[in-house]
């Protein structure tokens, strides 16, 4: 049974499952586990790992339109190197500070593989689910897509340099990759969207899959215009021209928000946030399916 | 750097660390990571694993004197067997029900070793820390000590039977071991103790270590009487007479509460809870050290 089938099985079992975070009496709660082989490419610093792991959970809080209150992490590694541990905590704390949450530590565990489990909690009186999109609403995306795709490309280049010759580690490339791998959880934008958005989630599995998940939860379709998809400059810098759109649509891991907003609320929402909000298309009737420039968009993307 | 040294390093870094759970604006938050090799002996069912992992975090909430609100778990395994997954969720849900908390699911991850990371949240207006014990207070322990030590002994016997002959798995022994391995998180008792207790923590690292940790946080000593230590019948059943006290003192993993209570509040506290509360001794001046029947008690116990 693969991870997606297992998740579907559990959604049937647990009422609170099936959204970015669970909600219990206005408390928003979400947990994620990441590990070295699949989530932290060679060259990822522990500072970046702490930032990114805790940030991923904060992004789920943001996706509910909630305030972020606090985060914890369980840190498991074959050994506890003080510098690595402090760097991890530094990254975890800094990403929390960005969204006015408190990083309050967690647990340590000995493990063969570097593994991190993070939990974030927040508060929302009226959390935004995936299920309220209505035909005619506009589809908005925060920030840009493709930062993580670009980071991974740079991690690979940095590692190749490392592999071929001992002195040839491309520090500058790895530094840029780490920088791109750290992201701002969209808590502030989520708060601005919360009173207006009819549906919302984060783009951690890629825009294409997010649209499919929103469509399934809301029973709707989407008509997206390719030229309106905000592609990160970093991706344009590293990618071959032709697969830029494909990567921006499917790579994921950017932790931007994808929300549906009634046309009338669009201007007010845009005025109230510092983050770029791109309108990439509209919500349609379910029969129209999910299309980009009129072509059907397959449900493909990153499986974590 | 071992786990304890690493924890001490982090306590210096993080204000909220150093108690059973962190507290942020009355929200109590705690996380734990457990894995197969060190925490789930052969014969542990996935139902028991779910119960125990989530229960361990709920116990930390109880140790603050808090109400338990909700829990999440990240479940990582080499493969997702539907029966195992549902059994795990069943155990997680049942232990939450015991303490009026909601189990709201979590994350799935592919991992070489079965690994579980759990987080519990609760609320406490006036959380009980480890640091308020005063000379003259009485030391109380909920329930009995030694259940987990007995369970481990039975898991070993069950596995030995399994190892020697294929048909000879001692199902009854393993069933009893599983039963002992599931525990009631002391949330209700913690709530009763909360208005009165001057210091509190759970006994997950063993009574001896708990007393040392309370003594360090409260700057006090303890005088304990051996015959007052509540030993579990299950441990008496499986152990050789002579090491019963040693195991009850040091084995840990029982998730009982160890609290200090002013003498005047003792009767009211006892009357208000269904759980057995044993007075095992008194808080002393720090110079008196930590003693059992007048002999110094070493700081030894289970390191997770």
């Amino acid at each position: 049974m693969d991870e997606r089938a297992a998740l579907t099985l559990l959604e049937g079992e647990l009422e609170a499952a099936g959204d970015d975070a669970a909600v219990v009496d206005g408390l928003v709660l979400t947990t994620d586990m990441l590990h070295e082989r699949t989530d932290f490419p060679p060259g990822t610093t522990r500072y970046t790992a702490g930032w990114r792991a805790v940030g991923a959970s904060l992004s789920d809080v943001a996706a509910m339109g909630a305030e972020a209150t606090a985060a914890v992490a369980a840190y498991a590694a074959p050994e506890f190197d003080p510098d690595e541990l402090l760097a991890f905590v530094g990254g975890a704390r800094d990403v929390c500070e960005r969204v006015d949450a408190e990083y309050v530590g967690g647990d340590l565990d000995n493990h063969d593989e570097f593994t991190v489990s993070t939990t974030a909690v927040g508060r929302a009186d009226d959390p935004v689910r995936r299920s309220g999109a209505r035909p005619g609403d506009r589809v908005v995306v925060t920030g840009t897509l493709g930062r993580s795709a670009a980071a991974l490309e740079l991690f690979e280049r940095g590692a190749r340099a490392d592999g071929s010759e001992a002195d040839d580690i491309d520090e500058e490339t790895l530094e840029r990759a780490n920088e791109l791998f750290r992201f701002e959880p969209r808590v502030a934008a989520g708060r601005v969207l919360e009173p207006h958005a009819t549906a919302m989630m984060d783009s951690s599995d890629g825009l294409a899959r997010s649209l499919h998940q929103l469509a399934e939860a809301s029973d709707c379709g989407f008509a997206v215009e390719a030229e309106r998809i905000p592609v990160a400059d970093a991706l344009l810098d590293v990618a071959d021209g032709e697969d830029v759109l494909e990567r921006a649509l499917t790579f994921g891991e950017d932790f931007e928000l994808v929300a549906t907003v009634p046309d009338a609320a669009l201007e007010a929402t845009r005025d109230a946030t510092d983050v770029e909000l791109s309108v990439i298309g509209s919500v349609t009737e379910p029969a129209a399916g999910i299309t980009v420039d009129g072509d059907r968009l397959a449900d493909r993307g990153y499986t974590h």
Side-chain angles (χ1 to χ4, degrees), chain A:
Chain A
M1 188 174 228
D2 71 10
E3 197 174 313
R4 249 181 123 180
L7 281 172
T8 305
L9 172 76
L10 293 184
E11 278 174 29
E13 280 293 301
L14 297 163
E15 271 179 52
D19 222 306
D20 292 67
V23 184
V24 182
D25 299 335
L27 183 84
V28 170
L29 183 59
T30 175
T31 195
D32 299 275
M33 192 184 280
L34 302 179
H35 56 117
E36 188 148 37
R37 211 170 3 156
T38 54
D39 299 292
F40 304 119
T44 309
T45 65
R46 286 290 155 104
Y47 177 81
T48 297
W51 178 296
R52 191 169 174 83
V54 172
S57 289
L58 292 169
S59 175
D60 284 331
V61 168
M64 306 303 289
E67 284 175 31
T69 309
V72 287
Y75 176 107
E79 55 181 11
F80 301 120
D81 176 275
D83 291 337
E84 289 187 347
L85 206 49
L86 291 176
F88 179 89
V89 168
R93 191 152 47 185
D94 287 352
V95 73
C96 281
E97 269 181 28
R98 280 292 180 95
V99 300
D100 288 329
E102 198 172 336
Y103 179 67
V104 294
D107 192 26
L108 294 175
D109 189 34
N110 263 115
H111 217 297
D112 287 343
E113 190 185 0
F114 174 51
T115 303
V116 187
S117 183
T118 56
T119 301
V121 294
R123 288 213 72 80
D125 293 330
D126 194 10
V128 185
R129 314 278 179 169
R130 296 180 179 178
S131 51
R134 291 166 307 198
D137 289 347
R138 313 303 298 272
V139 186
V140 302
V141 175
T142 59
T144 59
L145 301 173
R147 276 173 65 103
S148 285
L152 227 58
E153 177 71 37
L154 294 178
F155 276 123
E156 274 168 29
R157 288 185 197 170
R160 268 203 300 276
D162 185 21
S164 54
E165 211 172 305
D167 293 335
D168 194 26
I169 302 176
D170 188 347
E171 291 291 358
E172 205 179 306
T173 301
L174 288 181
E175 202 173 299
R176 176 76 182 128
N178 274 283
E179 194 187 308
L180 288 168
F181 227 38
R182 300 190 297 267
F183 59 91
E184 168 120 9
R186 296 303 188 192
V187 175
R191 295 298 294 157
V192 168
L193 284 160
E194 184 260 345
H196 307 294
T198 51
M200 187 153 67
M201 66 180 294
D202 79 0
S203 70
S204 57
D205 292 336
L207 178 60
R209 181 154 290 163
S210 297
L211 292 172
H212 275 272
Q213 289 177 288
L214 288 169
E216 197 187 326
S218 294
D219 190 26
C220 67
F222 289 106
V224 169
E225 294 170 59
E227 66 169 18
R228 289 173 178 270
I229 295 172
V231 178
D233 288 343
L235 180 59
L236 294 171
D237 286 348
V238 304
D240 301 333
E242 58 205 69
D243 72 352
V244 163
L245 181 66
E246 173 68 17
R247 290 213 229 173
L249 268 170
T250 62
F251 189 87
E253 298 258 288
D254 286 320
F255 303 100
E256 297 294 348
L257 299 181
V258 185
T260 57
V261 180
D263 210 37
L266 210 52
E267 205 175 311
T269 311
R270 270 181 159 161
D271 289 348
T273 172
D274 295 336
V275 177
E276 198 186 340
L277 281 185
S278 304
V279 178
I280 62 166
S282 299
V283 181
T284 62
E285 296 293 340
I290 300 170
T291 58
V292 175
D293 293 347
D295 295 330
R296 218 158 257 278
L297 177 66
D299 182 11
R300 60 185 189 276
Y302 200 88
T303 297
H304 300 280

